[in-house]
mmCIF file with all atom_site columns, all heavy atoms in Angstrom:
data_model
loop_
_atom_site.group_PDB
_atom_site.id
_atom_site.type_symbol
_atom_site.label_atom_id
_atom_site.label_alt_id
_atom_site.label_comp_id
_atom_site.label_asym_id
_atom_site.label_entity_id
_atom_site.label_seq_id
_atom_site.pdbx_PDB_ins_code
_atom_site.Cartn_x
_atom_site.Cartn_y
_atom_site.Cartn_z
_atom_site.occupancy
_atom_site.B_iso_or_equiv
_atom_site.pdbx_formal_charge
_atom_site.auth_seq_id
_atom_site.auth_comp_id
_atom_site.auth_asym_id
_atom_site.auth_atom_id
_atom_site.pdbx_PDB_model_num
ATOM 1   N N   . LEU A 1 18 ? 139.628 125.216 149.728 1.00 87.00 ? 121 LEU A N   1
ATOM 2   C CA  . LEU A 1 18 ? 140.711 126.097 150.120 1.00 87.00 ? 121 LEU A CA  1
ATOM 3   C C   . LEU A 1 18 ? 140.276 126.952 151.302 1.00 87.00 ? 121 LEU A C   1
ATOM 4   O O   . LEU A 1 18 ? 139.093 127.221 151.495 1.00 87.00 ? 121 LEU A O   1
ATOM 5   C CB  . LEU A 1 18 ? 141.117 126.994 148.946 1.00 87.00 ? 121 LEU A CB  1
ATOM 6   C CG  . LEU A 1 18 ? 141.582 126.250 147.699 1.00 87.00 ? 121 LEU A CG  1
ATOM 7   C CD1 . LEU A 1 18 ? 142.033 127.232 146.637 1.00 87.00 ? 121 LEU A CD1 1
ATOM 8   C CD2 . LEU A 1 18 ? 142.700 125.279 148.014 1.00 87.00 ? 121 LEU A CD2 1
ATOM 9   N N   . LYS A 1 19 ? 141.265 127.367 152.083 1.00 88.00 ? 122 LYS A N   1
ATOM 10  C CA  . LYS A 1 19 ? 140.960 128.224 153.232 1.00 88.00 ? 122 LYS A CA  1
ATOM 11  C C   . LYS A 1 19 ? 140.502 129.598 152.752 1.00 88.00 ? 122 LYS A C   1
ATOM 12  O O   . LYS A 1 19 ? 141.008 130.126 151.750 1.00 88.00 ? 122 LYS A O   1
ATOM 13  C CB  . LYS A 1 19 ? 142.215 128.397 154.083 1.00 88.00 ? 122 LYS A CB  1
ATOM 14  C CG  . LYS A 1 19 ? 142.652 127.147 154.786 1.00 88.00 ? 122 LYS A CG  1
ATOM 15  C CD  . LYS A 1 19 ? 143.898 127.421 155.587 1.00 88.00 ? 122 LYS A CD  1
ATOM 16  C CE  . LYS A 1 19 ? 144.437 126.147 156.180 1.00 88.00 ? 122 LYS A CE  1
ATOM 17  N NZ  . LYS A 1 19 ? 145.728 126.354 156.819 1.00 88.00 ? 122 LYS A NZ  1
ATOM 18  N N   . THR A 1 20 ? 139.580 130.169 153.494 1.00 87.00 ? 123 THR A N   1
ATOM 19  C CA  . THR A 1 20 ? 139.129 131.509 153.138 1.00 87.00 ? 123 THR A CA  1
ATOM 20  C C   . THR A 1 20 ? 139.538 132.529 154.199 1.00 87.00 ? 123 THR A C   1
ATOM 21  O O   . THR A 1 20 ? 139.291 133.715 154.036 1.00 87.00 ? 123 THR A O   1
ATOM 22  C CB  . THR A 1 20 ? 137.595 131.538 153.004 1.00 87.00 ? 123 THR A CB  1
ATOM 23  O OG1 . THR A 1 20 ? 137.043 130.944 154.173 1.00 87.00 ? 123 THR A OG1 1
ATOM 24  C CG2 . THR A 1 20 ? 137.138 130.793 151.793 1.00 87.00 ? 123 THR A CG2 1
ATOM 25  N N   . ASP A 1 21 ? 140.146 132.036 155.266 1.00 86.00 ? 124 ASP A N   1
ATOM 26  C CA  . ASP A 1 21 ? 140.442 132.949 156.380 1.00 86.00 ? 124 ASP A CA  1
ATOM 27  C C   . ASP A 1 21 ? 141.914 133.334 156.436 1.00 86.00 ? 124 ASP A C   1
ATOM 28  O O   . ASP A 1 21 ? 142.444 133.639 157.484 1.00 86.00 ? 124 ASP A O   1
ATOM 29  C CB  . ASP A 1 21 ? 140.029 132.294 157.701 1.00 86.00 ? 124 ASP A CB  1
ATOM 30  C CG  . ASP A 1 21 ? 140.743 130.961 157.901 1.00 86.00 ? 124 ASP A CG  1
ATOM 31  O OD1 . ASP A 1 21 ? 141.284 130.447 156.908 1.00 86.00 ? 124 ASP A OD1 1
ATOM 32  O OD2 . ASP A 1 21 ? 140.761 130.446 159.026 1.00 86.00 ? 124 ASP A OD2 1
ATOM 33  N N   . ILE A 1 22 ? 142.573 133.307 155.287 1.00 87.00 ? 125 ILE A N   1
ATOM 34  C CA  . ILE A 1 22 ? 143.992 133.644 155.276 1.00 87.00 ? 125 ILE A CA  1
ATOM 35  C C   . ILE A 1 22 ? 144.133 135.159 155.176 1.00 87.00 ? 125 ILE A C   1
ATOM 36  O O   . ILE A 1 22 ? 143.557 135.775 154.275 1.00 87.00 ? 125 ILE A O   1
ATOM 37  C CB  . ILE A 1 22 ? 144.693 132.956 154.102 1.00 87.00 ? 125 ILE A CB  1
ATOM 38  C CG1 . ILE A 1 22 ? 144.655 131.446 154.318 1.00 87.00 ? 125 ILE A CG1 1
ATOM 39  C CG2 . ILE A 1 22 ? 146.132 133.422 153.975 1.00 87.00 ? 125 ILE A CG2 1
ATOM 40  C CD1 . ILE A 1 22 ? 145.050 130.653 153.122 1.00 87.00 ? 125 ILE A CD1 1
ATOM 41  N N   . PRO A 1 23 ? 144.864 135.774 156.098 1.00 87.00 ? 126 PRO A N   1
ATOM 42  C CA  . PRO A 1 23 ? 145.011 137.219 156.026 1.00 87.00 ? 126 PRO A CA  1
ATOM 43  C C   . PRO A 1 23 ? 145.855 137.614 154.828 1.00 87.00 ? 126 PRO A C   1
ATOM 44  O O   . PRO A 1 23 ? 146.563 136.785 154.247 1.00 87.00 ? 126 PRO A O   1
ATOM 45  C CB  . PRO A 1 23 ? 145.727 137.570 157.331 1.00 87.00 ? 126 PRO A CB  1
ATOM 46  C CG  . PRO A 1 23 ? 146.445 136.334 157.694 1.00 87.00 ? 126 PRO A CG  1
ATOM 47  C CD  . PRO A 1 23 ? 145.605 135.206 157.214 1.00 87.00 ? 126 PRO A CD  1
ATOM 48  N N   . ARG A 1 24 ? 145.775 138.872 154.458 1.00 85.00 ? 127 ARG A N   1
ATOM 49  C CA  . ARG A 1 24 ? 146.570 139.326 153.333 1.00 85.00 ? 127 ARG A CA  1
ATOM 50  C C   . ARG A 1 24 ? 148.030 139.370 153.751 1.00 85.00 ? 127 ARG A C   1
ATOM 51  O O   . ARG A 1 24 ? 148.393 140.070 154.690 1.00 85.00 ? 127 ARG A O   1
ATOM 52  C CB  . ARG A 1 24 ? 146.092 140.701 152.922 1.00 85.00 ? 127 ARG A CB  1
ATOM 53  C CG  . ARG A 1 24 ? 146.741 141.150 151.679 1.00 85.00 ? 127 ARG A CG  1
ATOM 54  C CD  . ARG A 1 24 ? 146.017 142.305 151.091 1.00 85.00 ? 127 ARG A CD  1
ATOM 55  N NE  . ARG A 1 24 ? 146.923 143.000 150.215 1.00 85.00 ? 127 ARG A NE  1
ATOM 56  C CZ  . ARG A 1 24 ? 146.690 144.199 149.740 1.00 85.00 ? 127 ARG A CZ  1
ATOM 57  N NH1 . ARG A 1 24 ? 145.584 144.832 150.079 1.00 85.00 ? 127 ARG A NH1 1
ATOM 58  N NH2 . ARG A 1 24 ? 147.546 144.771 148.935 1.00 85.00 ? 127 ARG A NH2 1
ATOM 59  N N   . MET A 1 25 ? 148.842 138.592 153.075 1.00 87.00 ? 128 MET A N   1
ATOM 60  C CA  . MET A 1 25 ? 150.266 138.539 153.403 1.00 87.00 ? 128 MET A CA  1
ATOM 61  C C   . MET A 1 25 ? 151.045 138.864 152.148 1.00 87.00 ? 128 MET A C   1
ATOM 62  O O   . MET A 1 25 ? 150.803 138.279 151.094 1.00 87.00 ? 128 MET A O   1
ATOM 63  C CB  . MET A 1 25 ? 150.674 137.131 153.853 1.00 87.00 ? 128 MET A CB  1
ATOM 64  C CG  . MET A 1 25 ? 149.952 136.615 155.063 1.00 87.00 ? 128 MET A CG  1
ATOM 65  S SD  . MET A 1 25 ? 150.564 134.993 155.504 1.00 87.00 ? 128 MET A SD  1
ATOM 66  C CE  . MET A 1 25 ? 149.880 133.971 154.228 1.00 87.00 ? 128 MET A CE  1
ATOM 67  N N   . ASP A 1 26 ? 151.957 139.793 152.245 1.00 85.00 ? 129 ASP A N   1
ATOM 68  C CA  . ASP A 1 26 ? 152.789 140.111 151.101 1.00 85.00 ? 129 ASP A CA  1
ATOM 69  C C   . ASP A 1 26 ? 154.234 139.756 151.415 1.00 85.00 ? 129 ASP A C   1
ATOM 70  O O   . ASP A 1 26 ? 154.613 139.634 152.580 1.00 85.00 ? 129 ASP A O   1
ATOM 71  C CB  . ASP A 1 26 ? 152.679 141.592 150.754 1.00 85.00 ? 129 ASP A CB  1
ATOM 72  C CG  . ASP A 1 26 ? 151.278 141.937 150.300 1.00 85.00 ? 129 ASP A CG  1
ATOM 73  O OD1 . ASP A 1 26 ? 150.662 141.102 149.625 1.00 85.00 ? 129 ASP A OD1 1
ATOM 74  O OD2 . ASP A 1 26 ? 150.788 143.019 150.652 1.00 85.00 ? 129 ASP A OD2 1
ATOM 75  N N   . VAL A 1 27 ? 155.004 139.627 150.360 1.00 88.00 ? 130 VAL A N   1
ATOM 76  C CA  . VAL A 1 27 ? 156.414 139.333 150.543 1.00 88.00 ? 130 VAL A CA  1
ATOM 77  C C   . VAL A 1 27 ? 157.059 140.490 151.295 1.00 88.00 ? 130 VAL A C   1
ATOM 78  O O   . VAL A 1 27 ? 156.821 141.656 150.983 1.00 88.00 ? 130 VAL A O   1
ATOM 79  C CB  . VAL A 1 27 ? 157.078 139.119 149.169 1.00 88.00 ? 130 VAL A CB  1
ATOM 80  C CG1 . VAL A 1 27 ? 158.584 139.098 149.294 1.00 88.00 ? 130 VAL A CG1 1
ATOM 81  C CG2 . VAL A 1 27 ? 156.582 137.826 148.570 1.00 88.00 ? 130 VAL A CG2 1
ATOM 82  N N   . GLY A 1 28 ? 157.822 140.170 152.326 1.00 86.00 ? 131 GLY A N   1
ATOM 83  C CA  . GLY A 1 28 ? 158.463 141.187 153.157 1.00 86.00 ? 131 GLY A CA  1
ATOM 84  C C   . GLY A 1 28 ? 157.816 141.302 154.519 1.00 86.00 ? 131 GLY A C   1
ATOM 85  O O   . GLY A 1 28 ? 158.423 141.795 155.453 1.00 86.00 ? 131 GLY A O   1
ATOM 86  N N   . ASP A 1 29 ? 156.587 140.812 154.646 1.00 86.00 ? 132 ASP A N   1
ATOM 87  C CA  . ASP A 1 29 ? 155.904 140.896 155.931 1.00 86.00 ? 132 ASP A CA  1
ATOM 88  C C   . ASP A 1 29 ? 156.554 139.954 156.929 1.00 86.00 ? 132 ASP A C   1
ATOM 89  O O   . ASP A 1 29 ? 157.042 138.883 156.576 1.00 86.00 ? 132 ASP A O   1
ATOM 90  C CB  . ASP A 1 29 ? 154.431 140.501 155.778 1.00 86.00 ? 132 ASP A CB  1
ATOM 91  C CG  . ASP A 1 29 ? 153.681 141.484 154.917 1.00 86.00 ? 132 ASP A CG  1
ATOM 92  O OD1 . ASP A 1 29 ? 154.281 142.508 154.559 1.00 86.00 ? 132 ASP A OD1 1
ATOM 93  O OD2 . ASP A 1 29 ? 152.508 141.228 154.599 1.00 86.00 ? 132 ASP A OD2 1
ATOM 94  N N   . THR A 1 30 ? 156.510 140.371 158.186 1.00 88.00 ? 133 THR A N   1
ATOM 95  C CA  . THR A 1 30 ? 156.932 139.472 159.258 1.00 88.00 ? 133 THR A CA  1
ATOM 96  C C   . THR A 1 30 ? 155.674 138.782 159.781 1.00 88.00 ? 133 THR A C   1
ATOM 97  O O   . THR A 1 30 ? 154.698 139.438 160.130 1.00 88.00 ? 133 THR A O   1
ATOM 98  C CB  . THR A 1 30 ? 157.603 140.258 160.385 1.00 88.00 ? 133 THR A CB  1
ATOM 99  O OG1 . THR A 1 30 ? 158.647 141.037 159.812 1.00 88.00 ? 133 THR A OG1 1
ATOM 100 C CG2 . THR A 1 30 ? 158.173 139.328 161.421 1.00 88.00 ? 133 THR A CG2 1
ATOM 101 N N   . ILE A 1 31 ? 155.706 137.452 159.781 1.00 91.00 ? 134 ILE A N   1
ATOM 102 C CA  . ILE A 1 31 ? 154.481 136.727 160.131 1.00 91.00 ? 134 ILE A CA  1
ATOM 103 C C   . ILE A 1 31 ? 154.759 135.645 161.166 1.00 91.00 ? 134 ILE A C   1
ATOM 104 O O   . ILE A 1 31 ? 155.896 135.227 161.351 1.00 91.00 ? 134 ILE A O   1
ATOM 105 C CB  . ILE A 1 31 ? 153.822 136.075 158.887 1.00 91.00 ? 134 ILE A CB  1
ATOM 106 C CG1 . ILE A 1 31 ? 154.767 135.077 158.223 1.00 91.00 ? 134 ILE A CG1 1
ATOM 107 C CG2 . ILE A 1 31 ? 153.384 137.124 157.895 1.00 91.00 ? 134 ILE A CG2 1
ATOM 108 C CD1 . ILE A 1 31 ? 154.091 134.252 157.156 1.00 91.00 ? 134 ILE A CD1 1
#
Side-chain angles (χ1 to χ4, degrees):
Chain A
L121 301 183
K122 291 180 186 173
T123 50
D124 58 344
I125 294 168
R127 187 165 159 194
M128 300 182 287
D129 295 324
V130 168
D132 294 354
T133 306
I134 60 170

